Amino acid sequence: MLGILMVVSEAIPYSKTGGLGDVGGALPTALAHLGHHVTVVTPRYRGIEEGKPVAAFGRGSWLGAPDFRVLERVHGDGVRFWFVDCPAYYDREELYEGPQGDHPDNYMRGMRPAIVHAHDWQAGLVPAYLKERFRGHPAFSEAGTVFTIHNLAYQGIFGREVLPALDLPWDVFTGEGLEFWNNVSFLKAGINFSEIVTTVSRRYAQEIQTPEQGFGFEGILQRRAGALVGIRNGVDTTTWNPENDPLLPARFSAADLAGKAEVKRALLARVGLDAPGQWARPVIGMVSRMVDQKGLDLIAGAVATGALQALDASFVILGTGTPQYEGMWRKLAAKHPSRVSVTVGFNEELAHLIEGGADMFLMPSRFEPCGLNQMYSLRYGTVPVVRATGGLDDTVTDVDEATGDGTGFKFRAHTTDAMLEALHRALSWYARPAAWRRIQLAGMAQDNSWEASAREYVEVYARARERASRA
Ligand code: ADP
Ligand code: GLC
């Protein structure tokens, strides 16, 4: 049994802008189920209810931060949340706007965690503080640190002049520390000051050591290759399970798929694509940030030539992103109102309806550290069409043209043509109902639960502690 302190800037059910929030909520629960004591340190954003005050800090007690309190909430499964209640920083419309100012490790005194596990650049300074400021502090004398990269594209880069304000000595401003092209990078701090670095799929752990996917960090990561581990995210089956999903109008399972047809009808009615005759057409769903990372450029290419519209399919799209891509979908929906629908916004319920009711789920990502939606799709009998990158490559098996074995359709080249070719293949298999059902069932049978991944984290924690004790 380990005491684990998890530092993460999003955690369901309290906050989420993407997959990080899913992981921040589900991984602590999976670790608690294995018998570990987990405390999650996370901001109290606007709308999160008050908890029990366990500490209060006056202005300036930490790096000149405004007044803040720590509020505690303990869940039924034993996971403890410590919310950093600092209205000046977190009582805002959006999670990440304004200056970065979260240094949550100050509140850890009074417990002796075996493991401190920090996530993404927002928590990247935590390992640096542990090494530089709290080395030898009794609370952390036994702690090993683990840092998880969910997305290398966000590097937390600030001008070197912020260093004194962070209360870190100039000796950390080196290539082995947190200096990155003469700037400060919080992400680099997380990578260099922790015992073990993990990322969210095996494939992505390899990819980020190459110039194509390394975003300038490939050298830094190659240097840490011996301490770099890929552990795929899991599906939180309490929220994502077609057998008891309260956000679906009907339930279904591998043993009985009838409910899925009902969900499809409800989805089409909900988004206004239910004119007579539309029902038989395959529905391609997307729930995604509309940005280049998610392959929206490939879709734009297919829209420009008319190839996307020429597919005999309907499209149900949900997401927010750049005005260019939101506008592209809006225009397409206006032109093809009977078979293209776009909802711009963040909508949990519609996301479940799309996962449940669509026939296929499209993820043409340029890169994808893990990706959660393709795993939800597999579970909901919604066949994923994905680019073979990162976690998409690890979790989807391409359908074999000869045997029909496989769980989805993959393409390798980051081109519009490769994506269209995969979509054409998917549509031709869809036209053969018995073969299609086999593909759906193969996906639904796949086990992507959190349990196995949580066990891998526990092994990584043991290695981190061992390294920390030798240092
Ligand atoms: P990323 O974190 O890169 O955005 P993931 O696939 O890991 O990608 O996770 C995205 C998560 O956010 C999923 O749970 C997905 O359902 C959810 N999501 C993304 N966009 C929306 C949206 N517009 N409405 C509701 N949920 C969304
Ligand atoms: C990031 C990645 C996504 C991953 C998620 C959770 O947002 O883009 O692929 O699933 O983090 O790890």
Side-chain angles (χ1 to χ4, degrees):
M1 198 277 301
L2 297 169
I4 301 159
L5 192 74
M6 192 78 76
V7 186
V8 64
S9 62
E10 302 177 21
I12 53 160
Y14 303 108
S15 54
K16 161 169 166 176
T17 67
L20 180 63
D22 291 292
V23 177
L27 176 58
T29 297
L31 290 165
H33 285 158
L34 296 178
H36 301 287
H37 283 306
V38 190
T39 301
V40 182
V41 178
T42 195
R44 181 188 183 209
Y45 298 110
R46 178 172 297 174
I48 297 176
E49 273 177 47
E50 177 108 48
K52 181 178 115 196
V54 290
F57 298 84
R59 170 170 293 275
S61 57
W62 178 253
L63 305 187
D67 286 357
F68 63 91
R69 297 181 300 165
V70 178
L71 303 176
E72 181 176 277
R73 183 107 46 100
V74 182
H75 287 195
D77 56 18
V79 174
R80 173 164 68 177
F81 275 80
W82 277 352
F83 292 101
V84 180
D85 182 29
C86 184
Y89 285 157
Y90 304 128
D91 185 13
R92 294 179 191 170
E93 198 56 41
E94 300 286 338
L95 261 57
Y96 298 127
E97 72 183 20
Q100 205 283 341
D102 182 13
H103 309 294
D105 51 3
N106 195 29
Y107 331 128
M108 299 169 192
R109 291 171 180 155
M111 75 183 288
R112 295 169 62 97
I115 287 296
V116 177
H117 186 170
H119 298 259
D120 269 356
W121 75 265
Q122 293 91 331
L125 290 187
V126 170
Y129 286 131
L130 287 176
K131 290 279 170 324
E132 291 299 322
R133 300 260 319 182
F134 295 107
R135 191 190 286 280
H137 188 291
F140 299 106
S141 55
E142 291 163 23
T145 51
V146 175
F147 181 69
T148 296
I149 301 169
H150 294 264
N151 195 332
L152 198 60
Y154 302 101
Q155 304 179 338
I157 292 178
F158 303 92
R160 54 185 290 162
E161 68 280 358
V162 304
L163 199 62
L166 298 175
D167 199 18
L168 284 166
W170 280 103
D171 354 329
V172 301
F173 197 71
T174 65
E176 287 72 47
L178 50 65
E179 181 269 339
F180 188 64
W181 298 105
N182 213 22
N183 285 317
V184 167
S185 162
F186 285 22
L187 183 78
K188 189 167 177 182
I191 293 169
N192 278 341
F193 288 102
S194 51
E195 269 85 35
I196 305 269
V197 179
T198 77
T199 185
V200 288
S201 69
R202 278 185 232 296
R203 186 91 185 86
Y204 193 61
Q206 298 162 350
E207 288 171 344
I208 56 180
Q209 297 180 54
T210 67
E212 296 74 47
Q213 301 267 30
F215 284 97
F217 270 64
E218 58 273 13
I220 298 160
L221 289 158
Q222 282 161 18
R223 225 171 35 81
R224 296 236 55 196
L228 179 60
V229 182
I231 303 177
R232 110 172 128 61
N233 291 328
V235 173
D236 177 5
T237 50
T238 56
T239 356
W240 292 98
N241 182 357
E243 292 174 40
N244 58 26
D245 187 332
L247 297 175
L248 296 186
R251 313 284 138 74
F252 57 92
S253 66
D256 180 7
L257 276 170
K260 184 164 172 71
E262 249 183 86
V263 179
K264 180 172 174 179
R265 275 180 209 284
L267 171 66
L268 292 177
R270 160 76 189 269
V271 299
L273 301 187
D274 57 343
Q278 297 299 319
W279 155 252
R281 211 177 248 145
V283 170
I284 300 176
M286 278 188 92
V287 179
S288 178
R289 295 186 283 120
M290 294 176 184
V291 295
D292 282 339
Q293 178 197 339
K294 301 294 179 181
L296 270 287
D297 51 333
L298 299 190
I299 294 176
V303 170
T305 61
L308 196 88
Q309 304 86 304
L311 296 171
D312 186 20
S314 299
F315 293 87
V316 180
I317 310 299
L318 169 65
T320 55
T322 64
Q324 176 206 348
Y325 292 136
E326 290 181 357
M328 172 191 83
W329 280 117
R330 284 199 168 112
K331 250 175 52 203
L332 204 64
K335 215 163 152 211
H336 303 273
S338 65
R339 58 190 194 89
V340 179
S341 142
V342 59
T343 307
V344 173
F346 200 89
N347 186 326
E348 202 79 39
E349 185 232 336
L350 185 55
H352 281 249
L353 210 53
I354 293 175
E355 285 292 2
D359 296 296
M360 301 168 194
F361 197 93
L362 179 60
M363 291 180 80
S365 303
R366 176 180 292 271
F367 65 94
E368 196 61 78
C370 179
L372 292 163
N373 279 307
Q374 84 280 11
M375 294 196 280
Y376 303 155
S377 300
L378 288 167
R379 220 181 146 75
Y380 281 66
T382 303
V383 176
V385 179
V386 305
R387 184 159 172 261
T389 182
L392 298 175
D393 202 15
D394 284 353
T395 55
V396 177
T397 315
D398 199 26
V399 168
D400 183 312
E401 277 303 304
T403 64
D405 292 343
T407 60
F409 297 87
K410 292 206 276 198
F411 60 99
R412 239 155 243 293
H414 185 73
T415 63
T416 293
D417 284 348
M419 177 187 76
L420 285 168
E421 189 270 335
L423 282 167
H424 281 292
R425 262 195 303 136
L427 291 169
S428 79
W429 282 91
Y430 180 81
R432 289 179 268 167
W436 185 257
R437 171 152 310 209
R438 244 187 102 228
I439 298 167
Q440 288 178 293
L441 294 180
M444 294 177 89
Q446 193 169 310
D447 180 8
N448 286 320
S449 64
W450 262 111
E451 186 178 335
S453 301
R455 287 186 196 282
E456 289 182 50
Y457 275 111
V458 173
E459 279 168 32
V460 159
Y461 294 158
R463 271 180 67 196
R465 293 195 77 192
E466 206 254 321
R467 282 179 178 236
S469 71
R470 273 190 281 132

